[in-house]
Amino acid sequence: QVQLVESGGGLVQAGGSLSLSCAVSGRTFSNYVMGWFRQAPGKDREFVAAVRWSGRSTDYTDSVKGRFTISMDKSKNTVYLQMNSLKPEDTAVYYCAVGLIFGTRTPANFDSWGQGTQVTVSS
C-alpha cells in the first residue's frame, strides 16, 4: 500500500511561481511512475507531468512545457512539481499519483492517489 501526501498549493498572482511536493510512504519500487494531474471545477482530470522513480524519462502536457518541471528525489521519497510563469488557467486541484506504465498519460494507469492540493492563480 502506497500513501501520497501533496503540499505546497496556495494562491499566487499570474506570472508567479509555486512548488508542489508529494511525499510517498509505504513500499516503493524502482519502476514506479510518478504523475501529477490536475482537475478544475466542471472539467475532467487532466494529465500534467510524469517522471520515472529513477528521475529519468520526464513527460509533460503541451500547455505546461517550458513552465513546469517535474523532478524526483528518491532518497527523500518525494516528487516535486516546480511551476513557473503561472497562468489563471492553471488554477485547479493538483494530485500526485503512482502507476507502473510511463507515457500513456491516462489516470486509469495510476493506482494510488493523494488527496490533492489547491492551486489558485489570480489575474
Side-chain angles (χ1 to χ4, degrees):
Q1 189 174 20
V2 177
Q3 294 84 44
L4 307 171
V5 180
E6 302 98 333
S7 62
L11 176 64
V12 65
Q13 189 176 357
S17 298
L18 283 174
S19 182
L20 306 183
S21 299
C22 177
V24 183
S25 61
R27 181 65 187 271
T28 59
F29 298 93
S30 62
N31 63 340
Y32 272 3
V33 175
M34 304 301 304
W36 284 99
F37 293 78
R38 65 189 181 187
Q39 189 165 22
K43 295 185 177 181
D44 292 335
R45 191 161 296 188
E46 175 190 23
F47 171 80
V48 177
V51 63
R52 295 186 184 275
W53 187 264
S54 66
R56 296 177 177 270
S57 302
T58 57
D59 186 26
Y60 300 92
T61 193
D62 286 345
S63 64
V64 308
K65 286 181 179 178
R67 300 189 299 121
F68 291 11
T69 302
I70 188 171
S71 61
M72 181 72 213
D73 188 344
K74 57 182 181 290
S75 70
K76 299 179 180 179
N77 288 349
T78 301
V79 62
Y80 303 93
L81 186 67
Q82 177 65 46
M83 305 184 294
N84 299 324
S85 302
L86 283 162
K87 305 174 181 179
E89 51 263 44
D90 295 318
T91 296
V93 177
Y94 283 70
Y95 300 89
C96 66
V98 177
L100 295 175
I101 305 174
F102 182 86
T104 64
R105 299 184 170 190
T106 176
N109 290 128
F110 291 80
D111 304 304
S112 298
W113 296 80
Q115 82 289 346
T117 185
Q118 177 71 48
V119 172
T120 302
V121 184
S122 62
S123 300

